[in-house]
Amino acid sequence: ASRLRDAAHNASIYGVDGRIEFVCDNFITFANKYSGRPVDAVFLSPPWGGPGHLDTEHFSLMDVECCDIVGLFAAAVALSPRVVLYLPRHTDLHEVVVLASQHGFAAVEVEKVLFEYPTPHLKLCVIYFTLEVATSLAAPKSAKKAIAATGVGVTKMPHRTGTSLRAGGSCSARGVLLDLPPLAGPVIRALYC
């Protein structure tokens, strides 16, 4: 309840409190009984199961015992045609493609988020499930965001555009070849190197 109060407070600071309805409920239960206005998008950031997920080569959507990620996704799709999943860097993209296909998405966009500090490393994947991904196959624009050690001094600079890869592709960045495995379905990979 305190997190909802904090979120409502933040929404009022940014002047969007009249456009957000805060609800404390089990998401799947809420989604099944929701009958309000259309939902623009659903952002899911499910628990990954603690640091133990790093001990595996790939993160499976079925690995988490505390919640059913596939069930959460199905409930989200019932609410909105736009769903975003925030998942670990080593998520099994084959499972993501199967999940997308089962729910009528012809393609997904995978954004791999790289952190520069303290050393450059891949941190996580943000996966966008929208019908627009399949219809706008033009390469997305990308930007590199550098954050200083103190967390301040954010600068944006134009970066490579058109770095969109399909199954079996690869991209050279900073002299390191990113070798991507082939995929079992339609995924648009947006690499921000």
Side-chain angles (χ1 to χ4, degrees), residues 96-98 100-101 105-109 133-134 166-167 183-189:
V96 170
V97 169
V98 171
S101 178
F105 294 99
V108 299
E109 182 177 348
V133 170
R166 297 188 189 273
L183 298 173
V187 171
I188 298 166
R189 294 187 187 188

Side-chain angles (χ1 to χ4, degrees), residues 17-33:
D17 51 330
R19 298 174 23 198
I20 300 174
E21 180 181 350
F22 294 95
V23 177
C24 182
D25 197 353
N26 174 297
F27 178 72
I28 295 174
T29 304
F30 168 79
N32 288 333
K33 65 182 180 182

Side-chain angles (χ1 to χ4, degrees), residues 61 87 91-101 108 127 129:
L61 300 176
L87 295 171
T91 298
D92 184 351
L93 294 180
H94 294 279
E95 285 185 353
V96 170
V97 169
V98 171
L99 183 67
S101 178
V108 299
I127 305 169
F129 298 82

Side-chain angles (χ1 to χ4, degrees), residues 6-22:
D6 292 344
H9 174 73
N10 288 344
S12 68
I13 289 172
Y14 290 102
V16 295
D17 51 330
R19 298 174 23 198
I20 300 174
E21 180 181 350
F22 294 95

Side-chain angles (χ1 to χ4, degrees), residues 166-180:
R166 297 188 189 273
S170 61
C171 166
S172 180
R174 295 189 189 153
V176 177
L177 184 65
L178 300 176
D179 196 16
L180 304 173

Side-chain angles (χ1 to χ4, degrees), residues 107-125:
V108 299
E109 182 177 348
V110 177
E111 179 182 3
K112 295 190 174 194
V113 179
L114 300 165
F115 280 25
E116 291 285 332
Y117 181 81
T119 59
H121 62 284
L122 180 62
K123 189 67 175 176
L124 55 99
C125 292

Side-chain angles (χ1 to χ4, degrees), residues 42-46 48 61 69-70 72-73 76 83-88 91 96 99 109 111 124-129:
V42 176
F43 181 88
L44 296 173
S45 179
W48 301 342
L61 300 176
I69 294 175
V70 174
L72 289 171
F73 182 81
V83 178
V84 178
L85 270 175
Y86 184 88
L87 295 171
T91 298
V96 170
L99 183 67
E109 182 177 348
E111 179 182 3
L124 55 99
C125 292
V126 183
I127 305 169
Y128 301 90
F129 298 82

